[in-house]
Amino acid sequence: MDKQEYKIRSEEIRALVEEKNYREAADLADTIDWRRVKSVKMLCMISDVYKMVRRYEDSKTILEMAYEKRPGSRMIVFALTELCLKLGDVVNAWEYYKEFCQVAPDDSRKYILLYKVYAAQEVSLEEQIKVLEKLKEEEYIDRWVYELAYLYHKIGFGTKCVEECDEMFVWFSDGRYVMKALELKMLHQPLSAQQQEKYEWMKRERERQIAGLEEEGIEEEILPAEGEELPEEALPEMEQEQEEESLGENMADFPEYAGQETEEE
């Protein structure tokens, strides 16, 4: 493949990613020899494309190519940690986690990685809670505060669970995790009048959204249903969130990584 053909195909992949058509983007990516590509940013995007269609081995292989070209990048190390966990490779995930702590000691995402490693190792819920509490102290993120509330629920700390859910509502008012938090709270006590009103509104909005997605034929596995009753095993998976985020948003989490593209060798 010459440079012109590579340029055309890479632009087609970017367009498919913009459309969130990850399956076709992955099929097109299969036609390119990524070992010849210099652009670390492009390699990371292709890794994410494969991850979105749950081809985790392929995703990791491409990301390792990027890692060889840019060792010590916190974005790449973070992503490799998660991919190792998806593949059940806890040993290497732990090594990448330690590397992330070295290259980004002040980055609160280290607690997210540690929590996920602990969960994979089935460390006690009490220890997992301590990690999420540290994360909350440094950065208040709705997804992980909800998960903290859910763990309180699982170990029987109903009062602390409700407190976290109420605090989330004050901070964010609405959103997917606020809706889940209100459903979680209802397992312990009734919602306030304000919370009930907002919950009913979010539920109606979600139902309209689902109806629109069904009309467009979007697959449920890419946009999982929300607002359903919370079963005991409903601890949210990071995988769901990653499959719903755009690749651009993932890149934006690591602004130092927005380098210019380099063509194929």
Side-chain angles (χ1 to χ4, degrees):
M1 181 186 300
D2 60 25
K3 288 186 177 182
Q4 184 60 30
E5 188 176 0
Y6 165 73
K7 183 177 180 180
I8 292 171
R9 293 192 189 183
S10 62
E11 288 175 353
E12 289 176 352
I13 290 173
R14 290 190 189 96
L16 289 168
V17 168
E18 284 292 321
E19 298 169 2
K20 298 189 178 183
N21 189 343
Y22 304 116
R23 296 191 187 283
E24 286 192 24
D27 290 341
L28 191 54
D30 289 340
T31 68
I32 297 175
D33 182 0
W34 295 105
R35 294 171 298 179
R36 298 181 58 200
V37 173
K38 295 179 181 179
S39 170
V40 177
K41 184 177 179 181
M42 189 66 183
L43 290 172
C44 289
M45 186 180 75
I46 298 305
S47 173
D48 275 343
V49 167
Y50 284 138
K51 182 165 58 179
M52 298 289 266
V53 296
R54 304 184 185 185
R55 289 172 55 179
Y56 299 129
E57 283 285 1
D58 292 330
S59 178
K60 183 170 176 285
T61 297
I62 298 295
L63 198 59
E64 286 171 340
M65 295 179 193
Y67 180 77
E68 291 176 2
K69 300 176 187 299
R70 192 71 62 84
S73 164
R74 59 176 180 158
M75 171 192 163
I76 296 176
V77 175
F78 185 96
L80 282 170
T81 307
E82 292 194 319
L83 283 169
C84 286
L85 290 172
K86 288 179 182 295
L87 293 167
D89 185 358
V90 179
V91 173
N92 278 316
W94 182 254
E95 293 303 315
Y96 281 126
Y97 159 72
K98 290 192 292 185
E99 183 175 351
F100 185 84
C101 292
Q102 291 174 351
V103 299
D106 298 325
D107 194 322
S108 62
R109 294 179 186 87
K110 65 186 178 183
Y111 295 116
I112 296 174
L113 292 180
L114 180 58
Y115 167 71
K116 292 186 69 63
V117 171
Y118 275 5
Q121 292 177 324
E122 298 184 348
V123 172
S124 71
L125 294 182
E126 287 78 8
E127 290 300 314
Q128 294 180 43
I129 284 172
K130 290 179 182 178
V131 175
L132 291 182
E133 287 174 338
K134 289 180 180 178
L135 173 62
K136 181 188 171 187
E137 289 174 4
E138 294 201 8
E139 189 171 2
Y140 197 89
I141 306 172
D142 57 354
R143 169 188 168 72
W144 299 108
V145 175
Y146 166 75
E147 195 137 350
L148 175 61
Y150 186 83
L151 292 185
Y152 285 143
H153 162 75
K154 288 195 73 173
I155 66 172
F157 285 11
T159 300
K160 291 184 73 67
C161 171
V162 169
E163 288 174 355
E164 294 295 341
C165 294
D166 285 340
E167 188 177 4
M168 271 191 68
F169 183 78
V170 172
W171 270 74
F172 299 106
S173 179
D174 59 24
R176 61 177 295 190
Y177 290 106
V178 171
M179 186 172 183
K180 288 179 177 291
L182 293 179
E183 291 171 340
L184 183 58
K185 178 182 176 179
M186 284 189 282
L187 299 178
H188 296 273
Q189 66 183 54
L191 302 179
S192 69
Q194 182 184 16
Q195 290 171 342
Q196 186 67 44
E197 181 180 359
K198 181 54 72 77
Y199 175 75
E200 294 297 335
W201 177 83
M202 288 190 290
K203 189 175 181 180
R204 289 193 300 271
E205 288 297 306
R206 179 57 185 170
E207 288 170 353
R208 280 197 288 267
Q209 182 186 13
I210 292 173
L213 294 175
E214 288 175 349
E215 289 179 3
E216 295 175 14
I218 296 178
E219 296 182 18
E220 185 177 352
E221 68 173 8
I222 300 299
L223 287 167
E226 256 187 284
E228 57 193 9
E229 288 188 17
L230 191 73
E232 188 64 22
E233 67 274 11
L235 191 66
E237 295 293 329
M238 190 67 161
E239 177 184 358
Q240 275 189 349
E241 182 169 301
Q242 288 173 331
E243 289 178 348
E244 292 170 3
E245 290 176 344
S246 71
L247 302 184
E249 287 171 342
N250 290 340
M251 285 288 190
D253 283 342
F254 299 88
E256 81 280 4
Y257 207 77
Q260 293 185 347
E261 294 297 312
T262 305
E263 296 295 342
E264 184 186 32
E265 291 181 352

